[in-house]
Amino acid sequence: MKIRSRGSWRGLFRTKLRLPIVLLSCSVFFIAGFFGSTLLSQFQDIDGDVSRSRILESVVEEKEDKVFEEEKVDKVFEAIPNGDTGDSFVSSIPFQVLSWKPRAAYFPGFASAEQCDHIIKKAKANLRPSSLALRKGETAENTKGIRTSSGTFISASEDPSGTLGHIEEKIAKATMIPRSHGEAFNVLRYEIGQRYLSHHDAFNPTEYGPQKSQRVASFLLYLSDVEEGGETMFPFENGQNMNIGYDYEECIGLKVKPRRGDGLLFYSLYPNGKIDQMSLHGSCPVIVGQKWVATKWIRDQETND
């Protein structure tokens, strides 16, 4: 009779029990997997139904909200009458505030490329060297070099296509100042090296004499892109550079790069009629390319343009 050692009995015990344990484990995992997959599929079906239900509810709610908003707008229009000179529709003119000192705002996409090209084409045949409004003691000779662009004035009545008239109406909406207060468009071309030294658009009576009316604001419509240079600059923006002995030539301060179709509005006067010294501005020299711009000066009284 063979007597097994302690280690041999332990090995036999492990061998005999290993197979049942493995089979039992497989059975447990199989059963768990079966029920788990069944439950998961059921939950997925439930989730799918819930998701589809929620999507349908969302679509219905969105449609109802849209209808409600449309009805709401219609009711607003019914409740707010418009006068003979007002608009019977809502229009949006997006803009960005560039500065509060001076008050300046930027209007992206104010005019279309076709409108810009039309204005350039109309102005080209009549371009002349740009002139200045002279102060006391100034002459065309001693102010040579201050403004070196070429330009021409065009009124909306001279444009049968209605393009300038449409832009004038849009400027009036943006500024809330009637078209009748605007001067004719001053269309300007700046070639390489040409510039306009820093100046104010408003006329100081002590320098220019008594004024029947005053320029309140200026609206610049950029008619072309400029590859390099040609920025509209505000050297005194937010009060900077006012005490450095600024020479009116250096291109410093807030700079606005011309982009075709975009507009720039800035105010030359405070609401009390005083000239805003920080509205000093100029045109940096064009380095590469060509700059076209149409300027609309807006006065505090009606003009004859």
Side-chain angles (χ1 to χ4, degrees), residues 17-51:
L17 288 180
R18 186 176 296 160
L19 183 60
I21 289 173
V22 171
L23 292 175
L24 180 61
S25 299
C26 290
S27 301
V28 170
F29 281 118
F30 174 77
I31 294 169
F34 173 77
F35 283 106
S37 62
T38 304
L39 290 172
L40 181 60
S41 63
Q42 290 178 351
F43 280 125
Q44 285 176 337
D45 290 340
I46 292 172
D47 286 344
D49 292 339
V50 171
S51 298

PDB file of all heavy atoms in Angstrom, residues 17-51:
ATOM      1  N   LEU A  17     -10.514  19.451  -8.290  1.00  0.00           N
ATOM      2  CA  LEU A  17     -11.418  20.593  -8.105  1.00  0.00           C
ATOM      3  C   LEU A  17     -11.290  21.634  -9.213  1.00  0.00           C
ATOM      4  O   LEU A  17     -12.183  22.435  -9.412  1.00  0.00           O
ATOM      5  CB  LEU A  17     -11.144  21.268  -6.756  1.00  0.00           C
ATOM      6  CG  LEU A  17     -11.583  20.488  -5.516  1.00  0.00           C
ATOM      7  CD1 LEU A  17     -11.248  21.283  -4.269  1.00  0.00           C
ATOM      8  CD2 LEU A  17     -13.085  20.199  -5.568  1.00  0.00           C
ATOM      9  N   ARG A  18     -10.161  21.612  -9.933  1.00  0.00           N
ATOM     10  CA  ARG A  18      -9.912  22.682 -10.909  1.00  0.00           C
ATOM     11  C   ARG A  18     -10.974  22.702 -12.003  1.00  0.00           C
ATOM     12  O   ARG A  18     -11.511  23.743 -12.359  1.00  0.00           O
ATOM     13  CB  ARG A  18      -8.519  22.473 -11.519  1.00  0.00           C
ATOM     14  CG  ARG A  18      -8.119  23.639 -12.449  1.00  0.00           C
ATOM     15  CD  ARG A  18      -6.701  23.421 -12.935  1.00  0.00           C
ATOM     16  NE  ARG A  18      -5.807  23.461 -11.791  1.00  0.00           N
ATOM     17  CZ  ARG A  18      -4.575  22.925 -11.808  1.00  0.00           C
ATOM     18  NH1 ARG A  18      -4.188  22.251 -12.879  1.00  0.00           N
ATOM     19  NH2 ARG A  18      -3.789  23.022 -10.757  1.00  0.00           N
ATOM     20  N   LEU A  19     -11.305  21.561 -12.565  1.00  0.00           N
ATOM     21  CA  LEU A  19     -12.250  21.497 -13.679  1.00  0.00           C
ATOM     22  C   LEU A  19     -13.648  21.971 -13.279  1.00  0.00           C
ATOM     23  O   LEU A  19     -14.239  22.812 -13.974  1.00  0.00           O
ATOM     24  CB  LEU A  19     -12.291  20.073 -14.246  1.00  0.00           C
ATOM     25  CG  LEU A  19     -13.192  19.875 -15.472  1.00  0.00           C
ATOM     26  CD1 LEU A  19     -12.733  20.784 -16.621  1.00  0.00           C
ATOM     27  CD2 LEU A  19     -13.159  18.402 -15.904  1.00  0.00           C
ATOM     28  N   PRO A  20     -14.228  21.463 -12.145  1.00  0.00           N
ATOM     29  CA  PRO A  20     -15.563  21.965 -11.753  1.00  0.00           C
ATOM     30  C   PRO A  20     -15.586  23.468 -11.523  1.00  0.00           C
ATOM     31  O   PRO A  20     -16.554  24.153 -11.855  1.00  0.00           O
ATOM     32  CB  PRO A  20     -15.854  21.203 -10.466  1.00  0.00           C
ATOM     33  CG  PRO A  20     -15.019  19.976 -10.562  1.00  0.00           C
ATOM     34  CD  PRO A  20     -13.780  20.384 -11.268  1.00  0.00           C
ATOM     35  N   ILE A  21     -14.502  24.008 -10.946  1.00  0.00           N
ATOM     36  CA  ILE A  21     -14.459  25.460 -10.658  1.00  0.00           C
ATOM     37  C   ILE A  21     -14.444  26.247 -11.962  1.00  0.00           C
ATOM     38  O   ILE A  21     -15.138  27.249 -12.121  1.00  0.00           O
ATOM     39  CB  ILE A  21     -13.218  25.792  -9.802  1.00  0.00           C
ATOM     40  CG1 ILE A  21     -13.419  25.241  -8.395  1.00  0.00           C
ATOM     41  CG2 ILE A  21     -12.995  27.297  -9.755  1.00  0.00           C
ATOM     42  CD1 ILE A  21     -12.188  25.362  -7.516  1.00  0.00           C
ATOM     43  N   VAL A  22     -13.647  25.781 -12.914  1.00  0.00           N
ATOM     44  CA  VAL A  22     -13.582  26.465 -14.211  1.00  0.00           C
ATOM     45  C   VAL A  22     -14.937  26.444 -14.894  1.00  0.00           C
ATOM     46  O   VAL A  22     -15.416  27.440 -15.429  1.00  0.00           O
ATOM     47  CB  VAL A  22     -12.505  25.801 -15.103  1.00  0.00           C
ATOM     48  CG1 VAL A  22     -12.589  26.363 -16.526  1.00  0.00           C
ATOM     49  CG2 VAL A  22     -11.123  26.045 -14.523  1.00  0.00           C
ATOM     50  N   LEU A  23     -15.586  25.228 -14.884  1.00  0.00           N
ATOM     51  CA  LEU A  23     -16.907  25.121 -15.522  1.00  0.00           C
ATOM     52  C   LEU A  23     -17.930  26.018 -14.840  1.00  0.00           C
ATOM     53  O   LEU A  23     -18.762  26.643 -15.489  1.00  0.00           O
ATOM     54  CB  LEU A  23     -17.369  23.666 -15.488  1.00  0.00           C
ATOM     55  CG  LEU A  23     -16.577  22.693 -16.366  1.00  0.00           C
ATOM     56  CD1 LEU A  23     -17.066  21.259 -16.125  1.00  0.00           C
ATOM     57  CD2 LEU A  23     -16.711  23.060 -17.841  1.00  0.00           C
ATOM     58  N   LEU A  24     -17.868  26.037 -13.512  1.00  0.00           N
ATOM     59  CA  LEU A  24     -18.801  26.880 -12.756  1.00  0.00           C
ATOM     60  C   LEU A  24     -18.588  28.355 -13.086  1.00  0.00           C
ATOM     61  O   LEU A  24     -19.539  29.114 -13.279  1.00  0.00           O
ATOM     62  CB  LEU A  24     -18.621  26.633 -11.251  1.00  0.00           C
ATOM     63  CG  LEU A  24     -19.533  27.448 -10.331  1.00  0.00           C
ATOM     64  CD1 LEU A  24     -21.008  27.113 -10.624  1.00  0.00           C
ATOM     65  CD2 LEU A  24     -19.212  27.159  -8.868  1.00  0.00           C
ATOM     66  N   SER A  25     -17.322  28.749 -13.158  1.00  0.00           N
ATOM     67  CA  SER A  25     -17.014  30.149 -13.464  1.00  0.00           C
ATOM     68  C   SER A  25     -17.534  30.527 -14.846  1.00  0.00           C
ATOM     69  O   SER A  25     -18.117  31.599 -15.056  1.00  0.00           O
ATOM     70  CB  SER A  25     -15.497  30.374 -13.398  1.00  0.00           C
ATOM     71  OG  SER A  25     -15.009  30.090 -12.113  1.00  0.00           O
ATOM     72  N   CYS A  26     -17.309  29.619 -15.815  1.00  0.00           N
ATOM     73  CA  CYS A  26     -17.778  29.888 -17.181  1.00  0.00           C
ATOM     74  C   CYS A  26     -19.283  30.029 -17.212  1.00  0.00           C
ATOM     75  O   CYS A  26     -19.847  30.887 -17.914  1.00  0.00           O
ATOM     76  CB  CYS A  26     -17.340  28.763 -18.116  1.00  0.00           C
ATOM     77  SG  CYS A  26     -15.551  28.749 -18.408  1.00  0.00           S
ATOM     78  N   SER A  27     -19.943  29.150 -16.466  1.00  0.00           N
ATOM     79  CA  SER A  27     -21.415  29.199 -16.434  1.00  0.00           C
ATOM     80  C   SER A  27     -21.898  30.528 -15.869  1.00  0.00           C
ATOM     81  O   SER A  27     -22.843  31.136 -16.388  1.00  0.00           O
ATOM     82  CB  SER A  27     -21.947  28.041 -15.576  1.00  0.00           C
ATOM     83  OG  SER A  27     -21.519  26.803 -16.114  1.00  0.00           O
ATOM     84  N   VAL A  28     -21.245  30.938 -14.760  1.00  0.00           N
ATOM     85  CA  VAL A  28     -21.653  32.215 -14.127  1.00  0.00           C
ATOM     86  C   VAL A  28     -21.467  33.370 -15.089  1.00  0.00           C
ATOM     87  O   VAL A  28     -22.343  34.223 -15.281  1.00  0.00           O
ATOM     88  CB  VAL A  28     -20.849  32.442 -12.833  1.00  0.00           C
ATOM     89  CG1 VAL A  28     -21.096  33.855 -12.314  1.00  0.00           C
ATOM     90  CG2 VAL A  28     -21.229  31.412 -11.787  1.00  0.00           C
ATOM     91  N   PHE A  29     -20.272  33.403 -15.759  1.00  0.00           N
ATOM     92  CA  PHE A  29     -20.003  34.493 -16.699  1.00  0.00           C
ATOM     93  C   PHE A  29     -20.957  34.459 -17.872  1.00  0.00           C
ATOM     94  O   PHE A  29     -21.418  35.486 -18.356  1.00  0.00           O
ATOM     95  CB  PHE A  29     -18.562  34.410 -17.212  1.00  0.00           C
ATOM     96  CG  PHE A  29     -17.561  34.963 -16.225  1.00  0.00           C
ATOM     97  CD1 PHE A  29     -16.577  34.145 -15.684  1.00  0.00           C
ATOM     98  CD2 PHE A  29     -17.611  36.301 -15.840  1.00  0.00           C
ATOM     99  CE1 PHE A  29     -15.670  34.640 -14.778  1.00  0.00           C
ATOM    100  CE2 PHE A  29     -16.692  36.793 -14.924  1.00  0.00           C
ATOM    101  CZ  PHE A  29     -15.719  35.975 -14.389  1.00  0.00           C
ATOM    102  N   PHE A  30     -21.297  33.251 -18.349  1.00  0.00           N
ATOM    103  CA  PHE A  30     -22.212  33.122 -19.471  1.00  0.00           C
ATOM    104  C   PHE A  30     -23.593  33.646 -19.124  1.00  0.00           C
ATOM    105  O   PHE A  30     -24.206  34.400 -19.873  1.00  0.00           O
ATOM    106  CB  PHE A  30     -22.299  31.649 -19.908  1.00  0.00           C
ATOM    107  CG  PHE A  30     -23.326  31.407 -20.977  1.00  0.00           C
ATOM    108  CD1 PHE A  30     -23.070  31.754 -22.298  1.00  0.00           C
ATOM    109  CD2 PHE A  30     -24.559  30.846 -20.655  1.00  0.00           C
ATOM    110  CE1 PHE A  30     -24.025  31.525 -23.272  1.00  0.00           C
ATOM    111  CE2 PHE A  30     -25.503  30.634 -21.630  1.00  0.00           C
ATOM    112  CZ  PHE A  30     -25.243  30.976 -22.951  1.00  0.00           C
ATOM    113  N   ILE A  31     -24.064  33.192 -17.937  1.00  0.00           N
ATOM    114  CA  ILE A  31     -25.408  33.632 -17.485  1.00  0.00           C
ATOM    115  C   ILE A  31     -25.437  35.136 -17.282  1.00  0.00           C
ATOM    116  O   ILE A  31     -26.365  35.828 -17.706  1.00  0.00           O
ATOM    117  CB  ILE A  31     -25.804  32.891 -16.187  1.00  0.00           C
ATOM    118  CG1 ILE A  31     -25.980  31.384 -16.485  1.00  0.00           C
ATOM    119  CG2 ILE A  31     -27.080  33.479 -15.606  1.00  0.00           C
ATOM    120  CD1 ILE A  31     -26.105  30.540 -15.239  1.00  0.00           C
ATOM    121  N   ALA A  32     -24.382  35.662 -16.646  1.00  0.00           N
ATOM    122  CA  ALA A  32     -24.320  37.111 -16.391  1.00  0.00           C
ATOM    123  C   ALA A  32     -24.272  37.880 -17.702  1.00  0.00           C
ATOM    124  O   ALA A  32     -24.929  38.909 -17.876  1.00  0.00           O
ATOM    125  CB  ALA A  32     -23.093  37.434 -15.538  1.00  0.00           C
ATOM    126  N   GLY A  33     -23.459  37.342 -18.639  1.00  0.00           N
ATOM    127  CA  GLY A  33     -23.347  38.012 -19.929  1.00  0.00           C
ATOM    128  C   GLY A  33     -24.657  37.996 -20.677  1.00  0.00           C
ATOM    129  O   GLY A  33     -25.047  38.974 -21.307  1.00  0.00           O
ATOM    130  N   PHE A  34     -25.369  36.839 -20.631  1.00  0.00           N
ATOM    131  CA  PHE A  34     -26.639  36.724 -21.341  1.00  0.00           C
ATOM    132  C   PHE A  34     -27.650  37.722 -20.811  1.00  0.00           C
ATOM    133  O   PHE A  34     -28.252  38.492 -21.559  1.00  0.00           O
ATOM    134  CB  PHE A  34     -27.165  35.292 -21.214  1.00  0.00           C
ATOM    135  CG  PHE A  34     -28.559  35.121 -21.787  1.00  0.00           C
ATOM    136  CD1 PHE A  34     -28.739  35.037 -23.167  1.00  0.00           C
ATOM    137  CD2 PHE A  34     -29.665  35.065 -20.957  1.00  0.00           C
ATOM    138  CE1 PHE A  34     -30.010  34.887 -23.689  1.00  0.00           C
ATOM    139  CE2 PHE A  34     -30.925  34.917 -21.490  1.00  0.00           C
ATOM    140  CZ  PHE A  34     -31.101  34.830 -22.860  1.00  0.00           C
ATOM    141  N   PHE A  35     -27.825  37.680 -19.466  1.00  0.00           N
ATOM    142  CA  PHE A  35     -28.810  38.601 -18.865  1.00  0.00           C
ATOM    143  C   PHE A  35     -28.362  40.048 -19.011  1.00  0.00           C
ATOM    144  O   PHE A  35     -29.177  40.955 -19.214  1.00  0.00           O
ATOM    145  CB  PHE A  35     -29.042  38.249 -17.397  1.00  0.00           C
ATOM    146  CG  PHE A  35     -29.927  37.042 -17.206  1.00  0.00           C
ATOM    147  CD1 PHE A  35     -29.412  35.819 -16.800  1.00  0.00           C
ATOM    148  CD2 PHE A  35     -31.287  37.144 -17.456  1.00  0.00           C
ATOM    149  CE1 PHE A  35     -30.228  34.724 -16.637  1.00  0.00           C
ATOM    150  CE2 PHE A  35     -32.116  36.032 -17.286  1.00  0.00           C
ATOM    151  CZ  PHE A  35     -31.578  34.807 -16.873  1.00  0.00           C
ATOM    152  N   GLY A  36     -27.042  40.247 -18.911  1.00  0.00           N
ATOM    153  CA  GLY A  36     -26.543  41.627 -19.041  1.00  0.00           C
ATOM    154  C   GLY A  36     -26.800  42.188 -20.416  1.00  0.00           C
ATOM    155  O   GLY A  36     -27.245  43.322 -20.571  1.00  0.00           O
ATOM    156  N   SER A  37     -26.517  41.372 -21.449  1.00  0.00           N
ATOM    157  CA  SER A  37     -26.749  41.848 -22.815  1.00  0.00           C
ATOM    158  C   SER A  37     -28.228  42.068 -23.075  1.00  0.00           C
ATOM    159  O   SER A  37     -28.615  42.998 -23.775  1.00  0.00           O
ATOM    160  CB  SER A  37     -26.173  40.845 -23.819  1.00  0.00           C
ATOM    161  OG  SER A  37     -26.817  39.594 -23.694  1.00  0.00           O
ATOM    162  N   THR A  38     -29.055  41.194 -22.517  1.00  0.00           N
ATOM    163  CA  THR A  38     -30.509  41.346 -22.680  1.00  0.00           C
ATOM    164  C   THR A  38     -30.995  42.643 -22.048  1.00  0.00           C
ATOM    165  O   THR A  38     -31.754  43.409 -22.641  1.00  0.00           O
ATOM    166  CB  THR A  38     -31.254  40.144 -22.046  1.00  0.00           C
ATOM    167  OG1 THR A  38     -30.768  38.936 -22.620  1.00  0.00           O
ATOM    168  CG2 THR A  38     -32.755  40.262 -22.278  1.00  0.00           C
ATOM    169  N   LEU A  39     -30.535  42.857 -20.797  1.00  0.00           N
ATOM    170  CA  LEU A  39     -30.927  44.098 -20.105  1.00  0.00           C
ATOM    171  C   LEU A  39     -30.396  45.326 -20.828  1.00  0.00           C
ATOM    172  O   LEU A  39     -31.090  46.340 -20.962  1.00  0.00           O
ATOM    173  CB  LEU A  39     -30.396  44.073 -18.658  1.00  0.00           C
ATOM    174  CG  LEU A  39     -31.071  43.074 -17.721  1.00  0.00           C
ATOM    175  CD1 LEU A  39     -30.321  43.021 -16.389  1.00  0.00           C
ATOM    176  CD2 LEU A  39     -32.530  43.460 -17.482  1.00  0.00           C
ATOM    177  N   LEU A  40     -29.131  45.231 -21.334  1.00  0.00           N
ATOM    178  CA  LEU A  40     -28.533  46.358 -22.027  1.00  0.00           C
ATOM    179  C   LEU A  40     -29.306  46.705 -23.285  1.00  0.00           C
ATOM    180  O   LEU A  40     -29.572  47.877 -23.570  1.00  0.00           O
ATOM    181  CB  LEU A  40     -27.076  46.027 -22.383  1.00  0.00           C
ATOM    182  CG  LEU A  40     -26.285  47.139 -23.101  1.00  0.00           C
ATOM    183  CD1 LEU A  40     -26.221  48.392 -22.225  1.00  0.00           C
ATOM    184  CD2 LEU A  40     -24.885  46.644 -23.456  1.00  0.00           C
ATOM    185  N   SER A  41     -29.698  45.647 -24.028  1.00  0.00           N
ATOM    186  CA  SER A  41     -30.458  45.895 -25.255  1.00  0.00           C
ATOM    187  C   SER A  41     -31.805  46.537 -24.936  1.00  0.00           C
ATOM    188  O   SER A  41     -32.275  47.404 -25.657  1.00  0.00           O
ATOM    189  CB  SER A  41     -30.669  44.590 -26.024  1.00  0.00           C
ATOM    190  OG  SER A  41     -31.451  43.684 -25.262  1.00  0.00           O
ATOM    191  N   GLN A  42     -32.381  46.087 -23.815  1.00  0.00           N
ATOM    192  CA  GLN A  42     -33.655  46.675 -23.408  1.00  0.00           C
ATOM    193  C   GLN A  42     -33.482  48.148 -23.046  1.00  0.00           C
ATOM    194  O   GLN A  42     -34.270  49.004 -23.438  1.00  0.00           O
ATOM    195  CB  GLN A  42     -34.235  45.895 -22.232  1.00  0.00           C
ATOM    196  CG  GLN A  42     -34.735  44.492 -22.607  1.00  0.00           C
ATOM    197  CD  GLN A  42     -35.258  43.730 -21.398  1.00  0.00           C
ATOM    198  OE1 GLN A  42     -35.082  44.191 -20.267  1.00  0.00           O
ATOM    199  NE2 GLN A  42     -35.866  42.589 -21.637  1.00  0.00           N
ATOM    200  N   PHE A  43     -32.395  48.413 -22.301  1.00  0.00           N
ATOM    201  CA  PHE A  43     -32.137  49.809 -21.930  1.00  0.00           C
ATOM    202  C   PHE A  43     -31.840  50.661 -23.156  1.00  0.00           C
ATOM    203  O   PHE A  43     -32.259  51.807 -23.246  1.00  0.00           O
ATOM    204  CB  PHE A  43     -30.952  49.893 -20.943  1.00  0.00           C
ATOM    205  CG  PHE A  43     -31.349  49.574 -19.530  1.00  0.00           C
ATOM    206  CD1 PHE A  43     -30.698  48.577 -18.814  1.00  0.00           C
ATOM    207  CD2 PHE A  43     -32.373  50.271 -18.912  1.00  0.00           C
ATOM    208  CE1 PHE A  43     -31.063  48.282 -17.513  1.00  0.00           C
ATOM    209  CE2 PHE A  43     -32.746  49.980 -17.601  1.00  0.00           C
ATOM    210  CZ  PHE A  43     -32.086  48.981 -16.903  1.00  0.00           C
ATOM    211  N   GLN A  44     -31.099  50.068 -24.126  1.00  0.00           N
ATOM    212  CA  GLN A  44     -30.806  50.819 -25.331  1.00  0.00           C
ATOM    213  C   GLN A  44     -32.079  51.136 -26.085  1.00  0.00           C
ATOM    214  O   GLN A  44     -32.247  52.228 -26.621  1.00  0.00           O
ATOM    215  CB  GLN A  44     -29.856  50.004 -26.222  1.00  0.00           C
ATOM    216  CG  GLN A  44     -28.418  49.990 -25.697  1.00  0.00           C
ATOM    217  CD  GLN A  44     -27.511  49.109 -26.529  1.00  0.00           C
ATOM    218  OE1 GLN A  44     -27.989  48.201 -27.213  1.00  0.00           O
ATOM    219  NE2 GLN A  44     -26.224  49.373 -26.460  1.00  0.00           N
ATOM    220  N   ASP A  45     -32.991  50.178 -26.140  1.00  0.00           N
ATOM    221  CA  ASP A  45     -34.267  50.433 -26.795  1.00  0.00           C
ATOM    222  C   ASP A  45     -35.021  51.530 -26.089  1.00  0.00           C
ATOM    223  O   ASP A  45     -35.598  52.415 -26.709  1.00  0.00           O
ATOM    224  CB  ASP A  45     -35.113  49.149 -26.821  1.00  0.00           C
ATOM    225  CG  ASP A  45     -34.524  48.108 -27.779  1.00  0.00           C
ATOM    226  OD1 ASP A  45     -33.736  48.510 -28.653  1.00  0.00           O
ATOM    227  OD2 ASP A  45     -34.849  46.915 -27.627  1.00  0.00           O
ATOM    228  N   ILE A  46     -34.986  51.439 -24.751  1.00  0.00           N
ATOM    229  CA  ILE A  46     -35.683  52.470 -23.963  1.00  0.00           C
ATOM    230  C   ILE A  46     -35.049  53.831 -24.204  1.00  0.00           C
ATOM    231  O   ILE A  46     -35.722  54.829 -24.449  1.00  0.00           O
ATOM    232  CB  ILE A  46     -35.650  52.114 -22.460  1.00  0.00           C
ATOM    233  CG1 ILE A  46     -36.511  50.870 -22.200  1.00  0.00           C
ATOM    234  CG2 ILE A  46     -36.144  53.285 -21.626  1.00  0.00           C
ATOM    235  CD1 ILE A  46     -36.381  50.330 -20.793  1.00  0.00           C
ATOM    236  N   ASP A  47     -33.666  53.872 -24.153  1.00  0.00           N
ATOM    237  CA  ASP A  47     -32.959  55.132 -24.384  1.00  0.00           C
ATOM    238  C   ASP A  47     -33.246  55.670 -25.773  1.00  0.00           C
ATOM    239  O   ASP A  47     -33.417  56.867 -25.975  1.00  0.00           O
ATOM    240  CB  ASP A  47     -31.447  54.936 -24.214  1.00  0.00           C
ATOM    241  CG  ASP A  47     -31.070  54.786 -22.736  1.00  0.00           C
ATOM    242  OD1 ASP A  47     -31.919  55.137 -21.904  1.00  0.00           O
ATOM    243  OD2 ASP A  47     -29.941  54.336 -22.457  1.00  0.00           O
ATOM    244  N   GLY A  48     -33.268  54.734 -26.752  1.00  0.00           N
ATOM    245  CA  GLY A  48     -33.543  55.155 -28.119  1.00  0.00           C
ATOM    246  C   GLY A  48     -34.913  55.767 -28.249  1.00  0.00           C
ATOM    247  O   GLY A  48     -35.094  56.813 -28.873  1.00  0.00           O
ATOM    248  N   ASP A  49     -35.893  55.132 -27.628  1.00  0.00           N
ATOM    249  CA  ASP A  49     -37.258  55.663 -27.663  1.00  0.00           C
ATOM    250  C   ASP A  49     -37.317  57.029 -26.987  1.00  0.00           C
ATOM    251  O   ASP A  49     -37.950  57.957 -27.470  1.00  0.00           O
ATOM    252  CB  ASP A  49     -38.225  54.689 -26.962  1.00  0.00           C
ATOM    253  CG  ASP A  49     -38.376  53.389 -27.761  1.00  0.00           C
ATOM    254  OD1 ASP A  49     -38.072  53.420 -28.974  1.00  0.00           O
ATOM    255  OD2 ASP A  49     -38.784  52.366 -27.162  1.00  0.00           O
ATOM    256  N   VAL A  50     -36.637  57.123 -25.824  1.00  0.00           N
ATOM    257  CA  VAL A  50     -36.631  58.387 -25.087  1.00  0.00           C
ATOM    258  C   VAL A  50     -35.953  59.478 -25.894  1.00  0.00           C
ATOM    259  O   VAL A  50     -36.429  60.616 -25.991  1.00  0.00           O
ATOM    260  CB  VAL A  50     -35.924  58.210 -23.716  1.00  0.00           C
ATOM    261  CG1 VAL A  50     -35.738  59.571 -23.053  1.00  0.00           C
ATOM    262  CG2 VAL A  50     -36.734  57.292 -22.814  1.00  0.00           C
ATOM    263  N   SER A  51     -34.792  59.103 -26.524  1.00  0.00           N
ATOM    264  CA  SER A  51     -34.057  60.081 -27.325  1.00  0.00           C
ATOM    265  C   SER A  51     -34.905  60.564 -28.495  1.00  0.00           C
ATOM    266  O   SER A  51     -34.985  61.762 -28.765  1.00  0.00           O
ATOM    267  CB  SER A  51     -32.757  59.470 -27.842  1.00  0.00           C
ATOM    268  OG  SER A  51     -31.924  59.100 -26.764  1.00  0.00           O
TER     269      SER A  51
END
